[in-house]
Each structure stands twice: as C-alpha cells, then as structure tokens.
Amino acid sequence: MKRGKKYVEAAKNIDRQTLYEAADAVSLVKKSAVAKFDETIEAHIRTGCDGRHAEQQIRGAVVLPHGTGKTVKVLVFAKGAKADEAEAAGADFVGGEELIPKIQNDNWFDFDVVVATPDMMGVVGRLGRVLGPKGLMPNPKAGTVTMDVTKAVNDIKAGKIEYRLDKTNIIHVPIGKASFTEEQLSDNFQAIMDAIVKAKPSSLKGQYLKSVVLTATMGPGVKVSTAKYVG
C-alpha cells in the first residue's frame, strides 16, 4: 500500500520496534497528525480474551475526563415523565414506538448513541437487527438501559464512550482529537486503560493485554508499553 508524503514523514519519527511510555506515545501521535482536518486520536488494544466465550466478552463504558471532542447526538426511547426528563437533560431526540418505522423503513440514523428505559426495551428490541450491527443497541453494561435518563444523557454529552471487543478480540476507542493538549489526551487514555484493566475477565488464563497502539486518523501507529498496566 502506497503511503502519502505526510504519512512517510511522520513515520520517520517513530521507531516501529519501540514500546513507548504513554506520555511519549501521545506526544508522537499528536505530532504525526498533520492532516488538514482535526484528526481523531484512537487507542487499539489487543487482548488475550476469546470473545467466543460469554464470560470473556468485555463491554463497558467510561466517561473521558476531557470528552471526545465530538458533538454526540443522543436518541432516548422513553415515555411519560421519563420522556420529559430526557428532553430536559438535553437529549437530541426522544420518542417511542412511532420511531420504529422511521428507523426501519426510512433508514434514519441521525444519532450516535441510543438510550432506553427498561420498559421500552420490548419496543427497542424490534430494532435489534438494524441497531445491533451498527453498535447502537442499548445495553445495561454500558449504562444505556436505565431509569436514570438524566445521568445517561449527561454522561454521554460529557464524553462517555463505550468499549467492547471486536471479532478479533481488539478494543478500538477514541481518546480525543489532535487539537487536544498532550495532557488532555494522556488523561483520557489513562481513564480508558484503568477501565479496561478493571474489566479483565476472572476466567482469563494467560496474558490479558497483548499490545496497545495509538494512532491518529491518517497517521502511523505508535506502540505503547503495557508494563505499568499489567502489574
């Protein structure tokens, strides 16, 4: 695969074999983000889990101290007083059964996160086939199936992100934007790593964190030492 000049230049500053301390990795990744737009900085965490086993499925959520740098649109499935509460909390869209055909038939996905009260999951469940593959299905582990819709909306708007294993047992999460300071990116990365270390399945035998790589949207990967997280 042919790389652009900017990518090649950025890659010259990074030693592919070195496992960098988190702060150094953040600094290198930030410097490698030279695109004309505000690149997203992401962490890619390869685990020793086997997602085929239910007890090794990692899924959860964490509020990033400095947010994601992205404006997130929230859809809340609720009715009555809870619908009013969701609107007051700043949800972008609030509704119930009437939204089903809009999503199913009109292909409406003008939202980034879906929250639902438990009593609405019967309705939301009918959207499983369309929401599931997009990673939008509400889930109690992620705090998106809850009666406390105010907290759910506030947390999401403040920078709460979900993390989960993909099919290759890797977790992909944003830690902010290239325009963030190194301190902000480091704080966000630390919050994510703390959450993922805590989420280690008790049934897992062998190495949990296989590798951690930080990248900017258009930049090369920087390997992060996992020594301080293994303990």
Side-chain angles (χ1 to χ4, degrees), residues 26 65-67 175 179-189:
V26 164
H66 304 288
I175 66 167
S179 57
F180 282 25
T181 65
E182 288 181 20
E183 288 76 19
Q184 288 173 321
L185 290 169
S186 292
D187 288 348
N188 281 355
F189 178 63

Side-chain angles (χ1 to χ4, degrees), residues 157-219:
K157 292 286 186 181
K160 180 180 180 179
I161 58 159
E162 276 192 57
Y163 57 85
R164 62 195 296 184
L165 282 187
D166 70 4
K167 288 178 181 174
T168 57
N169 302 313
I170 298 173
I171 297 168
H172 308 274
V173 281
I175 66 167
K177 294 286 189 179
S179 57
F180 282 25
T181 65
E182 288 181 20
E183 288 76 19
Q184 288 173 321
L185 290 169
S186 292
D187 288 348
N188 281 355
F189 178 63
Q190 185 64 49
I192 286 166
M193 291 306 297
D194 286 347
I196 288 170
V197 167
K198 276 185 189 169
K200 179 183 178 181
S202 56
S203 64
L204 179 68
K205 301 288 188 283
Q207 191 178 0
Y208 177 41
L209 299 174
K210 296 269 191 181
S211 67
V212 178
V213 176
L214 294 182
T215 65
T217 306
M218 307 293 287

Side-chain angles (χ1 to χ4, degrees), residues 11 13-20 28 212 221-225:
N13 299 316
I14 297 162
D15 182 346
R16 290 271 180 172
Q17 304 309 313
T18 299
L19 295 175
Y20 293 93
L28 284 167
V212 178
V222 180
K223 294 178 181 175
V224 183
S225 169

Side-chain angles (χ1 to χ4, degrees), residues 1-8 16 218-219:
M1 181 179 173
K2 196 169 187 301
R3 301 289 191 178
K5 281 184 185 176
K6 288 181 179 178
Y7 180 100
V8 172
R16 290 271 180 172
M218 307 293 287

Side-chain angles (χ1 to χ4, degrees), residues 56-126:
Q56 289 189 25
Q57 267 290 353
I58 297 173
R59 182 170 185 173
V62 59
V63 177
L64 300 183
H66 304 288
T68 61
K70 180 185 173 189
T71 302
V72 180
K73 289 185 180 178
V74 183
L75 164 61
V76 178
F77 279 94
K79 57 189 177 185
K82 286 295 167 184
D84 296 339
E85 190 183 318
E87 285 182 2
D92 299 274
F93 310 101
V94 181
E97 198 149 354
E98 75 282 0
L99 294 176
I100 299 278
K102 191 174 179 182
I103 294 170
Q104 270 184 336
N105 306 330
D106 301 345
N107 213 25
W108 176 67
F109 291 102
D110 191 23
F111 47 87
D112 304 294
V113 182
V114 181
V115 174
T117 52
D119 59 312
M120 293 299 288
M121 282 308 289
V123 171
V124 180
R126 284 152 53 191

